[in-house]
């Protein structure tokens, strides 16, 4: 360069861009970004996250109005979906690519290029010379054979060898780093084109994979095209088993599958940790509960007939979830005034009495002699949700107590007819998580590549060896130089052994001349 | 001899657990004497006692396995026990076995005794029993085992050896300053041969020279040796930890239908991973070598403790059943 005046003029756009690029490429930037990523994750693990626990995130904002408001504006309640987390991740990936491109180009060049001959062997950190009996050409040929057997790449010149080993280190390192981009691709593709939803299916009923059937309990990816599989899932039965201690042992849903046209696809069991897979959709055992079949008649007219999905309120601190009572709601909007029923399910009379006496619920793991208690309300049904009952706008009406198989009178409907409630049957329901992620395999392959790349990247080292042979009186002088780019102290031992072996294959030393320079 | 009942196996396991802690404490005293006075007999005795302690500890773990009828890493009590066991074993294999350094035994033993003591005092103990269905998975067993092995290597390399490195490096700088010479460059890694001595050799435990202050120097091995041991231990731990995270993701995919969900445990395992990835990169970066990289490794160790203890005990997580 002949520019003599290094005037600090304003940088051209091109120069600024080059500076930004260089900065992004530097390891320092990558390190800072890595630590920023870690810090952001710390925030995300300490503050309740909306995607993981929406109730806790909401109650936090109620309990701490000031910090809650600040956290909400800063996106701290959804760190991993926030713009600044995406920014850190994006910068990290850009920095990664900026670093990987030149390294990959250089590595490809290294692979293509044969090892280069050296000028001065004795200038290398490792150097040794031996007198051997083989002729120079023969000694070079024998050395080449030995080095090849030791998996060196060898380049031969007249009277000289250049050998090199350990390219796997850089290859592994590059594989490891590129694989992260593959994870990104797999995650974006899989999440973007997939969906995750939840549905409850009562024993004996069937359900079809279609948007409306998720009742809003679904999250779809950004590029999801609405192509639900239409798969039909029928729950034959659900079985839960417990140990004597009340610890759950196993949950199994026996399901029957059929394709969108109704052609049967066979039976299968869905267990915790053992999802079913059909038409690219995976079905996971997510939860379960009780669904009493309730029939309500107004005289001879059937107002309601079918299984009602009962749920439990979230357990307060220190109470087992199983111990909470199962509740359900039945609405009778066709009556005037409208009627809403709050129903509680009890496993047997003992559990009911015990709760009345002590306030301690009994976990309902089995139903020996189930019955339901009903509290009826009259007024107008305002809650739009299927399972919600807004009783504030209603007045308390009748109550009832119905054992399984019984029919009880609830009260007069207002037009002189009698409302009756039957509880013919108790069923269970299974909650399934249904999801499709076509990118899982890409992510899995990437994860395997990460592990495969890590091994050579951490445990191998690149080293080079040069050999020269020239006549020395009636024998041959074998000169060996060596250089390790990493793990130098280990190479010292390896080099000494290698020289011994080279001398041995080229014939025992003619005259003892142990002029080994050793490490320099 | 009649066959032992489950309860008897459980009791045997508990008694041997306590006995192992006491044995480690005795061995620790022996190692401390060797560290201070280089009495060979103290080392030989300490090592023998450590091996006996390991034997009892292993028997405790095996008895627990028999009592529970499953792999012995199903809850926090069992993790703690296995972690402590592996740290002591790792010390014997890596530090005494590979590097022939015999002075440092007291430190990993402190770590293990404290880990086991914490498990005892803070009531992690639960009677051996079967696992809930969500934990009953092939992948989970692999995931947890890898996590414990990785943790033990991080605890040894990123915790114990790194703290010792920082102490020694500071001492070396002070001594060099007292001698008025330039400090020995605290090179981590392999760029300078001077600070990169060959494999540890016999006699290397001996105190090195005398300073002008006539104070004995070199109670601890040179910082470069501590650094190399710490690095190699972490470098073995890192792929295992990576594998643990991947196996956990495979299991999460099977159990919950998503391989990654930013659950606090996942998040902290990721944070620990990121910090140790940062450490490995820092060692290859000028200006970050030496003390700075060691501080990163230490931060990684703190992150490991959070991943292990704080997430299980204080943060609401899908991994809450690990209590």
């Amino acid at each position: 360069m002949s520019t003599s005046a290094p005037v600090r003029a304003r940088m051209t756009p091109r120069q600024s861009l080059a500076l930004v690029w260089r900065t992004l490429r530097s390891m320092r930037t990558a390190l800072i970004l890595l630590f920023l990523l870690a810090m952001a994750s710390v925030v995300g693990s300490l503050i309740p996250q909306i995607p993981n626990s929406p109730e806790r995130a909401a109650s936090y904002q109620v309990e701490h109005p000031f910090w809650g408001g600040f956290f909400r504006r800063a996106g701290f309640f959804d760190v991993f979906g926030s713009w600044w987390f995406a920014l850190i991740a994006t910068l990290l990936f850009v920095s990664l690519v900026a670093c990987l491109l030149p390294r990959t180009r250089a590595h490809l060049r290294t692979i293509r290029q044969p090892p280069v001959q050296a000028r001065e062997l004795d200038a290398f950190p490792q150097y040794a010379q031996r007198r051997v009996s083989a002729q120079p050409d023969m000694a070079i040929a024998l050395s080449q054979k030995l080095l090849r057997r030791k998996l060196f790449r060898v380049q031969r010149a007249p009277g000289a060898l250049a050998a090199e080993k350990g390219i796997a280190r850089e290859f592994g390192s590059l594989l490891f780093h590129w694989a992260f981009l593959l994870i990104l691709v797999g995650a974006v593709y899989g999440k973007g084109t997939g969906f995750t939803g939840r549905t409850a299916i009562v024993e004996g009923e069937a359900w079809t994979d279609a948007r409306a059937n998720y009742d809003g309990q679904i999250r779809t990816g950004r590029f999801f095209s609405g192509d639900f599989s239409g798969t039909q899932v029928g729950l034959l039965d659900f079985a839960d088993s417990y140990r004597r201690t009340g610890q759950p042992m196993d949950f199994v849903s026996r399901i029957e599958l059929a394709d969108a046209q109704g052609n049967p696809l066979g039976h299968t069991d869905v267990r915790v940790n053992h999802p079913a897979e059909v038409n690219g959709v995976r079905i996971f055992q997510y939860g379960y509960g009780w669904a009493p079949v309730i029939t309500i008649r107004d005289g001879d007219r059937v107002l309601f007939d079918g299984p009602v999905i009962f749920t439990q309120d979230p357990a307060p601190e220190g109470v087992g979830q199983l111990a909470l009572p199962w509740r359900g709601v039945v609405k009778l909007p066709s009556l005037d005034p409208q009627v809403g029923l709050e129903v509680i399910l009890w496993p047997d009379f003992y559990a009911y009495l015990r709760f009345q006496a002590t306030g301690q619920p009994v976990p309902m793991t089995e139903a020996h002699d189930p019955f339901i208690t009903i509290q009826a309300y009259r007024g107008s049904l305002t809650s739009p949700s299927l399972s919600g009952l807004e009783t504030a706008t209603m007045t308390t009406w009748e109550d009832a107590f119905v054992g399984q198989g019984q029919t009880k009178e609830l009260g007069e409907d207002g037009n002189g007819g009698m409302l009756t409630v039957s509880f013919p049957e108790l069923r269970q329901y299974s909650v399934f998580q249904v999801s499709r992620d076509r990118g899982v395999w890409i992510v899995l392959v990437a994860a395997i590549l990460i592990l495969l790349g890590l091994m050579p990247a951490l445990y191998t080292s690149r080293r080079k060896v040069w050999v020269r042979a020239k006549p020395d009186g009636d024998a041959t002088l074998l000169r060996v130089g060596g250089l390790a780019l990493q793990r130098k102290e280990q190479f010292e031992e390896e080099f000494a052994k290698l020289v011994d072996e080279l001398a041995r294959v080229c014939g025992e030393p003619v005259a003892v001349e142990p002029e080994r320079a050793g490490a320099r | 001899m009649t066959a032992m009942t489950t309860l008897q196996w459980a009791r045997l396991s508990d008694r041997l657990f306590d006995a192992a802690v006491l044995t480690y404490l005795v061995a620790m005293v022996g190692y401390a004497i060797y560290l201070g006075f280089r009495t060979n007999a103290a080392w030989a005795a300490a090592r023998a006692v450590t091996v006996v302690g390991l034997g009892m500890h292993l028997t405790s773990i095996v008895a627990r396995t028999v009592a529970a009828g499953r792999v012995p890493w199903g809850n926090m009590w069992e993790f703690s026990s296995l972690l402590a066991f592996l740290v002591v074993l790792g010390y014997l294999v890596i530090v005494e076995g590979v590097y022939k350094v015999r002075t440092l035994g007291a430190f990993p033993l402190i770590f293990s005794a404290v880990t086991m003591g914490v498990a005892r005092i803070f009531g992690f103990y639960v009677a051996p029993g079967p696992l809930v269905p969500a934990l009953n998975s092939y992948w989970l067993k692999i995931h947890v085992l890898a996590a414990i092995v990785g943790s033990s290597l991080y605890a040894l390399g990123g915790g114990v050896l790194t703290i010792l490195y920082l102490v020694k490096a500071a001492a070396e700088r002070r001594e060099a300053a007292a001698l008025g010479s330039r400090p020995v460059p605290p090179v981590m890694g392999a760029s300078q041969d001077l600070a990169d001595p060959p494999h540890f050799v016999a006699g290397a435990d001996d105190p090195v020279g005398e300073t002008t202050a006539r104070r004995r120097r070199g109670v601890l091995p040179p910082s470069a040796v501590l650094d190399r041991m710490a690095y190699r231990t972490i470098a073995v731990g890192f792929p295992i930890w990576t594998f643990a995270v991947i196996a956990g993701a495979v299991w999460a995919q099977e159990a919950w239908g998503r391989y990654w969900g930013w659950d606090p445990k996942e998040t902290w395992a990721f944070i620990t991973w990121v910090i140790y990835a940062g450490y490995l990169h820092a060692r290859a970066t000028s200006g970050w070598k030496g003390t700075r990289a060691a501080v990163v490794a230490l931060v990684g160790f703190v992150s490991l403790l959070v991943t292990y203890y704080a997430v299980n005990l204080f943060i609401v997580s899908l991994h809450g059943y690990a209590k």
Side-chain angles (χ1 to χ4, degrees):
Chain A
M1 293 282 275
S2 59
T3 44
S4 51
V7 184
R8 283 190 60 87
R10 285 172 65 95
M11 283 191 293
T12 64
R14 201 191 154 85
Q15 282 169 327
S16 336
L17 217 66
L19 181 69
V20 169
W21 187 248
R22 265 203 312 279
T23 313
L24 272 173
R25 265 174 61 174
S26 81
M27 185 71 97
R28 185 180 300 267
T29 311
L31 279 174
I32 290 169
L33 287 170
L34 270 179
F35 291 128
L36 279 178
L37 194 70
M39 304 245 285
S41 305
V42 171
V43 172
S45 77
L46 296 181
I47 296 173
Q49 297 292 293
I50 291 170
N52 296 55
S53 42
E55 312 88 18
R56 284 181 51 239
S59 68
Y60 186 92
Q61 293 184 56
V62 173
E63 285 160 30
H64 310 270
F66 176 76
W67 286 111
F70 169 71
F71 288 169
R72 186 165 40 79
R73 277 190 297 278
F76 281 9
F77 287 115
D78 187 10
V79 168
F80 306 105
S82 69
W83 63 269
W84 46 269
F85 190 82
L87 181 71
I88 298 171
T90 309
L91 283 175
L92 196 58
F93 274 108
V94 172
S95 155
L96 185 66
V97 172
C99 182
L100 286 182
L101 282 175
R103 269 178 68 187
T104 307
R105 213 161 36 216
H107 183 64
L108 290 176
R109 217 166 28 234
T110 313
I111 291 177
R112 276 200 305 270
Q113 200 175 49
V116 182
Q117 302 293 340
R119 278 172 206 271
E120 305 288 337
L121 292 198
D122 51 5
F124 287 112
Q126 302 295 324
Y127 176 75
Q129 56 184 41
R130 296 290 183 87
R131 279 167 62 92
V132 294
S133 53
Q135 289 304 303
D137 276 355
M138 195 60 189
I140 287 297
L142 289 168
S143 301
Q144 184 178 14
K145 213 171 133 191
L146 178 77
L147 287 167
R148 285 240 165 97
R149 211 174 59 225
K150 288 184 171 294
L151 301 176
F152 277 85
R153 296 199 305 155
V154 189
Q155 180 69 16
R156 189 172 171 177
L161 285 181
E164 157 174 2
K165 192 178 179 179
I167 287 183
R169 182 186 178 94
E170 178 69 359
F171 182 81
S173 176
L174 288 170
L175 190 66
F176 172 83
H177 287 96
W178 279 117
F180 283 92
L181 275 153
L182 196 58
I183 284 200
L184 185 70
V185 168
V188 169
Y189 170 68
K191 301 288 171 215
T193 63
F195 66 88
T196 296
R198 264 174 219 155
T199 185
I201 309 177
V202 179
E203 285 173 315
E205 304 214 320
W207 173 92
T208 304
D209 174 32
R211 184 185 288 273
N213 294 342
Y214 287 97
D215 284 331
Q217 298 234 54
I218 187 166
R219 278 212 308 259
T220 53
R222 196 157 293 181
F223 318 113
F224 181 65
S225 56
D227 51 339
F228 288 97
S229 64
T231 307
Q232 296 174 30
V233 183
L235 179 62
L236 298 175
D237 72 1
F238 172 79
D240 48 348
S241 45
Y242 299 85
R243 297 179 198 283
R244 265 181 311 181
T245 54
Q247 186 185 333
M249 197 156 75
D250 199 10
F251 305 113
V252 199
S253 295
R254 251 187 349 117
I255 59 170
E256 186 178 43
L257 295 163
D259 66 14
Q261 284 73 45
N263 302 316
L265 297 172
H267 296 203
T268 184
D269 286 353
V270 179
R271 284 188 156 84
V272 178
N273 288 328
H274 295 282
E277 180 156 13
V278 59
N279 289 334
V281 174
R282 304 189 95 196
I283 301 168
F284 299 85
Q285 182 71 52
Y286 185 82
Y288 62 95
W290 296 99
V293 178
I294 295 175
T295 311
I296 296 176
R297 290 190 185 79
D298 184 9
D300 291 334
R301 195 159 58 100
V302 175
L303 294 181
F304 182 92
D305 182 25
V308 180
I309 287 181
F310 276 41
T311 55
Q312 293 171 302
D313 298 330
E317 194 77 31
V319 177
Q321 180 67 51
L322 275 177
L324 288 166
W326 291 87
R327 300 168 178 280
V329 163
V330 177
K331 295 181 186 183
L332 304 170
S334 62
L335 291 174
D336 183 28
Q338 294 179 318
V339 170
L341 309 181
E342 250 182 20
V343 191
I344 300 178
L345 174 69
W346 303 91
D348 49 40
F349 205 69
Y350 160 74
Y352 177 74
L353 284 180
R354 191 179 134 174
F355 183 71
Q356 299 301 330
T358 64
Q360 289 291 314
V362 175
M364 184 165 173
T365 55
E366 283 173 293
H368 297 295
D369 198 6
F371 64 90
I372 52 176
T373 54
I374 299 172
Q375 177 62 58
Y377 295 89
R378 267 173 124 161
S380 49
L381 297 165
T382 49
S383 172
S385 92
L386 206 63
S387 56
L389 188 66
E390 184 56 65
T391 56
T393 58
M394 306 179 88
T395 51
T396 310
W397 190 40
E398 303 284 345
D399 51 43
F401 192 102
V402 189
Q404 187 178 345
Q406 291 182 325
T407 301
K408 287 277 180 74
E409 293 188 345
L410 189 64
E412 292 187 10
D413 65 357
N415 301 322
M418 183 56 78
L419 283 186
T420 58
V421 182
S422 312
F423 171 27
E425 193 187 344
L426 179 60
R427 297 192 201 164
Q428 282 182 299
Y429 68 90
S430 218
V431 183
F432 295 110
Q433 174 169 312
V434 182
S435 58
R436 192 184 74 193
D437 185 337
R438 290 173 173 152
V440 170
W441 295 106
I442 303 177
V443 175
L444 182 64
V445 166
I448 292 168
L449 292 181
I450 283 174
L451 279 177
L452 287 180
L454 209 44
M455 302 294 163
L458 283 175
Y459 307 133
T460 63
S461 61
R462 192 153 165 226
R463 50 245 198 244
K464 302 176 176 189
V465 170
W466 292 269
V467 182
R468 296 263 177 85
K470 65 176 182 193
D472 181 28
D474 53 350
T476 300
L477 184 65
L478 198 67
R479 300 164 66 224
V480 190
L483 170 71
L485 279 81
Q486 300 91 13
R487 305 206 153 206
K488 291 165 192 178
E489 79 289 349
Q490 276 186 1
F491 182 63
E492 211 169 291
E493 290 171 24
E494 186 188 354
F495 182 80
K497 268 193 208 136
L498 181 68
V499 171
D500 286 344
E501 278 183 70
L502 283 172
R504 201 167 57 241
V505 295
C506 296
E508 290 303 315
V510 179
V512 183
E513 189 197 22
E515 196 189 322
R516 268 191 59 193
R520 299 227 162 151
Chain B
M1 201 177 115
T2 52
M4 282 168 72
T5 64
T6 302
L7 196 65
Q8 283 170 321
W9 280 110
R11 267 199 208 123
L12 175 70
S13 171
D14 297 350
R15 296 222 172 106
L16 283 172
F17 180 93
D18 294 338
V21 179
L22 292 177
T23 315
Y24 289 157
L25 290 174
V26 171
M28 200 177 81
V29 173
Y31 272 115
I33 292 172
Y34 180 68
L35 179 68
F37 306 103
R38 296 295 196 277
T39 323
N40 277 322
W43 171 75
R47 186 184 162 91
V49 173
T50 307
V51 170
V52 169
L54 269 180
M56 292 196 285
H57 201 161
L58 182 65
T59 315
S60 162
I61 292 168
V62 170
R64 180 96 188 168
T65 311
V66 174
R70 56 168 170 77
V71 291
W73 50 83
N75 53 49
M76 236 176 134
W77 169 263
E78 291 164 1
F79 301 157
S80 301
S81 179
L82 203 52
L83 178 68
F85 175 80
L86 288 174
V87 167
V88 176
L89 186 67
Y91 163 78
L92 284 184
V93 171
I94 298 171
V95 179
E96 286 204 12
V98 176
Y99 288 94
K100 312 279 185 265
V101 173
R102 315 187 304 192
T103 40
L104 306 177
F107 305 101
L109 285 169
I110 291 174
F111 175 87
S112 288
V114 168
T115 303
M116 295 167 85
V118 164
R120 197 37 121 193
I121 293 161
F122 291 94
F124 295 171
Y125 183 79
V126 286
L131 297 173
V132 296
L135 296 183
N136 202 354
S137 153
Y138 184 81
W139 273 106
L140 179 71
K141 287 167 192 162
I142 297 173
H143 158 65
V144 177
L145 182 62
I148 297 174
V149 174
S151 299
S152 69
L153 291 164
Y154 281 167
L156 187 60
V160 175
L161 293 174
T162 299
I163 291 171
L164 292 172
Y165 164 79
L166 285 169
V167 168
K168 181 66 182 182
E172 281 175 1
R173 275 196 301 276
R174 269 200 310 278
E175 260 165 37
L179 287 170
S181 69
R182 270 182 60 237
V184 181
V187 175
M188 305 191 69
S191 58
Q192 290 188 25
D193 285 357
L194 258 183
D196 207 23
H199 273 292
F200 228 63
V201 288
D205 280 351
D206 299 338
V208 186
E210 302 265 321
T211 64
T212 44
R214 294 195 146 270
R215 198 159 54 82
R216 224 168 55 158
R217 199 181 140 208
V219 172
L220 292 173
S223 67
V225 172
L226 286 166
D227 168 51
R228 162 115 26 84
M229 289 194 293
Y231 167 68
R232 288 286 161 80
T233 310
I234 293 172
V236 175
F238 186 73
I240 295 174
W241 188 260
T242 309
F243 175 72
V245 173
I246 292 172
V250 171
W251 173 56
Q253 176 69 24
E254 292 296 297
W256 299 319
R258 86 286 185 293
Y259 50 83
W260 198 263
W262 297 109
D263 175 75
K265 193 77 163 188
E266 291 170 351
T267 307
W268 275 99
F270 172 73
I271 293 167
T272 305
W273 186 89
V274 165
I275 294 173
Y276 278 110
Y279 165 78
L280 294 177
H281 284 94
R283 281 181 58 97
T285 310
S286 60
W288 283 75
K289 287 170 185 162
T291 310
R292 256 180 148 175
V295 169
V296 174
L298 201 57
V299 171
F301 176 61
V302 172
S303 167
L304 175 75
L305 294 180
V306 174
T307 311
Y308 178 46
Y309 287 108
V311 173
N312 280 8
L313 300 176
F314 308 118
I315 300 179
V316 177
S317 153
L318 283 172
H319 286 70
Y321 40 67
K323 267 180 222 182

